[in-house]
Structures are given as structure tokens and as C-alpha cells.
Amino acid sequence: LTIKADAKAISRRTPRNLDYDQDLDIPWQDLYNNHQGVEWFDGNGRLLGHAGRYIPHIPFNPNTKVSQHKKIRSIIIPVYSASFIPERKQLQGYVRVNESIENLQEELDRLLWGFSCGGLIAVILTGVSSWWLTRRSLKPVEQSFQQLKQFTADASHELRSPLTVVKTSVEVMMNHPERIHPNDEKKLKAIASATNQMTRLVEDLLLLARTDATQTLTFKWVSIPLDELLEDLMDLLQLQADVKGIILKSEIPEEVFVKGNPVELKRLFSNLLENALQYTPTGGTVSVRVIRRDRFVFVSINDTGIGIAPEDIPLIFNRFWRAEKARSHREGGLGLGLAIAAAIAHAHSGEITVKSQVGVGSSFQVRLLAVLKT
């Protein structure tokens, strides 16, 4: 009311006096500091006066109690005439109090920056600690795995000699059937079969152990006539195909050369062809096709067998992997044939891919580097 009557009262200093209720009246000038501002409006929203540094230049709206413009926050308080009866109170005007939040925002920014740096440091320390702890926890596992691989290599190497002695002794005995009692003939054949299976297992394990140790296989490489190698394999497996009633056919051009180790490549294609014959039913077909394209030779081995389920295809080159159904019942199979084939192909800078459909058949394709005839 004083400001409505006298606008100069804003700049007039009021002394501190005790009022009728004997408490200390604080002058209004002491109610704000350098970061604040006060505005007075009449009942119609007309500005009567203002004091302080922070005065927002925005229209007055009595319906907005709290507002913020840029970095100034404002609160509007209505002022009524003094009366003990609420119905007799009359609106005299409004007071808008403004305060800068610049310092608060700066403090919040510093706090946010501190939290961000602290969080980043915590994440880095957590990652480094996790890596260190993981390495320490896996170290015994790695050592055990290395010891297991070394044991496999050593055991495979040591078993070769006694198996060779057993195999040679059995062959010598079977070469003289007159010295064998008829009741012992089946036993000798069983020993010979088991010895051959064990010998092949030992050779496979030794090959894989060398692969694990060096990540690659080292062979004496020569130029190999791939067409002759495959034709020889086809001749060797023809009897097996005839016994099962399987048609074995080939489409192999002449004078196709690759560089590698003939023994290991023969082992690779032998594994693939034996798999194809094993899982192809009577009356089916196994075919071999060779195509030379640019710098590569592609050898496709196709069969009309039982096929491989889509979910099993990524697993077939794993060691000792065996499918649960029909593919697990291979006589003499140990689950290493395809793993050996993949290792040999990789050692020859090649690869093996497979396409298959259950009940239709499978197609294994080997890609090798081609060389000119020397």
C-alpha cells in the first residue's frame, strides 16, 4: 500500500523498529541480495516499481505462480488487504520475486562434470580390474589346457611304436594261416581291426596336436596332379561303393595341379568320400566334380545321403562331434574325420564349405590354390 501511495518509498531506507507485537521488523531492502530482484504490481498487473539487479523483461501473468526466463527464476505472490474475515480481503497487488540461478547452474555443471569424470574413471578401473582378475582366474585353466595338449601329443607319439609292433605281429601271424588255430582266427581279425582303428586315432590326434601347437601344419610341398590323386581314391573306394550298391561317378578334367602334401591331401579327400559313402543309402549316388576357376581349384563331393540338419552344420568340423541321430552310428567313426579334413585344407591355404538338406543330401566343396604344371 505504501508503494501504491508513494513510488519513492522503494528507495527510502526504513529503520529497524519494534512494532506493536514487540518483534523486530526487518526492512524489505534486507530481504534480497545481489542475485535477486523484487517487482511490485497493482491489482491490474501494472508495474509500480522494482528493486534489485535481476529483473526479467517478460510480461506479467498473475496466473503463473512460478516461471523461469533464461537464468532467472520468478515467483509471484498476491497481496491482500489485512482483515480477519477472509471474505473482506481485497486484492491489493502482486509481488514478483526474481533470483538468478546462474551460480546454481554453474555448481550443478561442476557436479555433473565431477560425476562424469568419476564415473569414467570407475568404469576404466573396473574394466582393468576385471581383465586382470579374469586373466588370473583363467591362467590355471590355460596351463591345464596346454598340459592336456602336450599330453595328447606325447601320448600319441609314444603309442605309435607299440601299435606298429602289434600290427606287424598280427600281419605276420595272418600271413601264415597254417600256424593259426581255427578258433583264434576271428580273434586275430578283431585285434587287427582294433589296431588299425587305434593307429588311425593316434595319427589323427598327433596331427591335431601339431596343429594346436603351431596353428599351422608344415609339410614338404610339391606339385601334385590332383586329377590322378582323386582317380586313385575313386578306384580304391569303388569296391566299398559296390558293396553298398552306391553309384560312384566323377567329373575330373585332366592335368589339374595343386601344390601341397600328397599324403595329407589324399587323407582329406578320403575322409570326405568315406563320409559320403557311409551316409548314403543303397541306390544313392556319390559324385566328385573338379572345376578350375582363376587361381583356384574347387573340388565338390556330392551325395544323396541323409543330409545334415541346419543347426548341426556349424558343428560338424568340431573334434569328436557326433550327431544324435543317424549320423552318430558310423562303424569305426571317431568324430575326427571332418576336423582333420578342415585342418589339412587350412594348412594348404584352402577352406571347406558345406551345403546340406535333410533327406536330400550334402555337398562338401574344397577350395585349393591351383598351380601350373611343372
Side-chain angles (χ1 to χ4, degrees), residues 62-78:
N63 296 323
T64 305
K65 301 299 182 183
V66 181
S67 62
Q68 181 173 329
H69 178 67
K70 295 182 179 179
K71 294 185 178 182
I72 299 177
R73 183 173 293 174
S74 303
I75 300 177
I76 298 176
I77 303 172

Side-chain angles (χ1 to χ4, degrees), residues 81-82 86 114 127 149 151 182 219 246 254 278 280 286 336 353 372:
S81 59
K149 290 196 297 185
F151 169 77
F219 302 125
I246 297 173
E254 295 182 355
Q278 184 66 37
T280 300
V286 174
L336 289 174
T353 56
L372 296 176

Side-chain angles (χ1 to χ4, degrees), residues 84-146:
F84 293 102
I85 302 175
E87 290 77 6
R88 294 184 179 180
K89 288 184 177 182
Q90 294 182 353
L91 179 66
Q92 298 298 315
Y94 300 90
V95 177
R96 183 164 68 182
V97 181
N98 312 301
E99 182 175 8
S100 172
I101 61 171
E102 185 173 359
N103 291 340
L104 176 62
Q105 189 63 45
E106 291 177 355
E107 192 67 28
L108 290 175
D109 291 341
R110 284 195 294 271
L111 186 62
L112 180 61
W113 184 85
F115 277 132
S116 300
C117 292
L120 180 60
I121 293 173
V123 169
I124 294 174
L125 291 177
T126 301
V128 172
S129 301
S130 301
W131 175 82
W132 182 74
L133 290 173
T134 302
R135 291 291 300 173
R136 283 187 62 88
S137 61
L138 288 179
K139 193 172 183 179
V141 179
E142 292 177 353
Q143 291 176 347
S144 299
F145 184 62
Q146 291 297 332

